[in-house]
Amino acid sequence: MAQARKVATYVMVIFVLYTIINQPARAADLVQVGFVGISNAAKSIGQFMHDLVN
C-alpha cells in the first residue's frame, strides 16, 4: 500500500510540473482559483462565527 501511495505521489508531482512548464498561464489561473476558494471559505467561517456570537 505504501508503494502505491509513493507511485501516485510521483505521478502527481510529474503531472503538476508538466502542466506548469507547458501551460504556465493556465497553471497560474488554477492556483488563483484555489486561493480565491480558500479565501472565500475563510470569510464564510468568519461570518458564521461572528453571527454565532451575536
Side-chain angles (χ1 to χ4, degrees):
M1 190 65 163
Q3 188 70 16
R5 183 177 297 191
K6 192 176 194 180
V7 170
T9 302
Y10 286 139
V11 168
M12 189 175 0
V13 167
I14 290 170
F15 176 72
V16 168
L17 291 175
Y18 174 79
T19 303
I20 290 171
I21 291 169
N22 282 335
Q23 299 175 351
R26 175 78 173 131
D29 289 341
L30 292 175
V31 170
Q32 183 180 11
V33 166
F35 280 124
V36 167
I38 292 170
S39 174
N40 288 342
K43 287 177 187 175
S44 296
I45 291 171
Q47 184 64 41
F48 173 75
M49 292 298 176
H50 180 267
D51 292 344
L52 190 64
V53 170
N54 291 337

